[in-house]
């Protein structure tokens, strides 16, 4: 599996996790109805989920992660 595919899957899994959690929390604790529930969950999960990106570093491709709760940019192994 290529690094770009792994990066895409990491982004999807991170987004999906936060989306599902936010979706059920919004249903439980707010009075939003209709399209506002998934839209709000998508905005929250976009902000909270980590971002993964592939970059060439010292001649090889590496996956880097940037996240709101982690200072700086971290390399993913």
């Amino acid at each position: 599996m290529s690094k770009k595919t792994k990066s895409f899957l990491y982004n999807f899994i991170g987004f999906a996790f936060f989306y599902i959690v936010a979706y059920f929390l919004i249903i439980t604790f707010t009075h939003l109805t209709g399209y506002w529930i998934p839209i709000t969950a998508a905005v929250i999960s976009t902000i909270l989920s980590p971002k993964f990106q592939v970059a060439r570093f010292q001649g090889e491709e590496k996956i880097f992660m940037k996240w709101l709760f982690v200072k700086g940019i971290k390399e993913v192994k």
Side-chain angles (χ1 to χ4, degrees), residues 6-58:
K6 282 185 182 180
S7 173
F8 178 76
L9 287 176
Y10 291 158
N11 280 323
F12 176 74
I13 291 168
F15 179 85
F17 173 76
F18 282 106
Y19 181 83
I20 291 168
V21 170
Y23 188 86
F24 286 113
L25 288 175
I26 289 168
I27 289 174
T28 305
F29 295 111
T30 66
H31 297 288
L32 294 176
T33 58
Y35 289 118
W36 288 108
I37 297 170
I39 291 171
T40 306
V43 169
I44 290 170
S45 58
T46 301
I47 293 169
L48 293 180
S49 64
K51 306 329 184 245
F52 295 91
Q53 187 173 8
V54 176
R56 250 191 211 283
F57 184 71
Q58 297 178 349

